[in-house]
Amino acid sequence: MSNFTIGLTGGIASGKSEVSRRFEALGIVVADADVAAREVVAPGNPALARIVGRFGVDIVQADGTLDRALLRQRVFANDDERRALEAITHPAIRRRMMDICTAAPGPYVIAAIPLLTEVGGRAAYPWLDRILVVDTPVALQHARLLRRDNINAELADRMIQAQATREQRLALADDVIVNDGHPDALQAQVEALDQRYRDLASKR
């Protein structure tokens, strides 16, 4: 059971998933908030029942699962609806993430939370011991989005602007991985932090 938790975050196309994979390759459990978000709205979970109560039975498909596409349409352009959905899902996601992290084996555990800054940072996740930000220049995020998602420049700009700024994320950081170059440089940073986190965890 780990008693030392690192929050991992970063902007879109910053390389969070790649960093997560490299920590996992070193034997570290990574709890993924995106996975938790899908789990908490699975059939039979209280969050799904609350979503149905708020948004109507047509939000559920014939097989009992949430119609994510329809729900996105409902909340995309309506801030009140989006806030109502977040009030249901965010607490459930936080509880699920905490359960996974508490039960994780190993010297420490990573909680990968892409929107950590946007959902309240340390106030929302007070049980994080440290926050690690994967930092990438905005121009490089933009170029990666164009290549990865095969989208136009305008949409890439909107996707980046919809998130917290680079400066806001860095303001939360205890540690930073700069992902702007060769994969070997990324690996060296991950390995150095892995050793640091193992040392810090051993002193708890």
Side-chain angles (χ1 to χ4, degrees):
M1 304 281 280
S2 175
N3 66 346
F4 198 74
T5 304
I6 310 300
L8 172 65
T9 193
I12 190 168
S14 62
K16 299 179 300 297
S17 296
E18 182 61 28
V19 168
S20 292
R21 283 192 290 271
R22 289 171 186 258
F23 275 107
E24 287 176 324
L26 295 172
I28 300 304
V29 172
V30 176
D32 188 329
D34 288 339
V35 174
R38 291 191 292 272
E39 292 176 347
V40 300
V41 297
N45 283 328
L48 180 59
R50 291 186 62 198
I51 291 171
V52 172
R54 174 63 176 77
F55 293 94
V57 294
D58 61 327
I59 212 72
V60 174
Q61 301 178 103
D63 63 357
T65 60
L66 183 65
D67 189 333
R68 294 175 179 278
L70 180 58
L71 185 58
R72 276 195 299 270
Q73 290 174 15
R74 295 264 184 96
V75 306
F76 180 72
N78 188 315
D79 287 343
D80 288 340
E81 296 283 75
R82 178 179 53 79
R83 282 191 287 267
L85 177 63
E86 290 173 349
I88 295 169
T89 58
H90 285 183
I93 293 167
R94 288 194 292 268
R95 286 192 297 271
R96 177 62 180 148
M97 290 290 286
M98 189 172 185
D99 288 345
I100 296 169
C101 289
T102 301
Y108 66 94
V109 61
I110 287 180
I113 310 168
L115 298 180
L116 177 60
T117 308
E118 291 84 348
V119 301
R122 295 178 191 278
Y125 287 85
W127 43 271
L128 297 176
D129 293 291
R130 297 182 74 83
I131 293 175
L132 169 60
V133 171
V134 183
D135 182 50
T136 302
V138 173
L140 186 51
Q141 283 181 271
H142 190 275
R144 287 175 179 167
L145 270 176
L146 295 181
R147 184 171 62 249
R148 186 191 75 184
D149 294 358
N150 193 29
I151 58 177
N152 61 43
E154 182 182 356
L155 179 55
D157 284 335
R158 290 205 306 268
M159 292 169 72
I160 292 170
Q161 291 165 8
Q163 294 190 335
T165 66
R166 186 182 182 188
E167 292 73 23
Q168 287 170 324
R169 282 190 296 272
L170 288 172
L172 286 180
D174 296 295
D175 306 295
V176 177
I177 284 179
V178 178
N179 185 23
D180 63 356
H182 195 277
D184 288 347
L186 186 62
Q187 183 65 23
Q189 293 179 83
V190 169
E191 289 178 357
L193 283 170
D194 173 65
Q195 188 57 59
R196 184 179 189 189
Y197 295 153
R198 289 174 187 271
D199 291 344
L200 290 170
S202 70
K203 297 171 183 175
R204 290 296 294 269

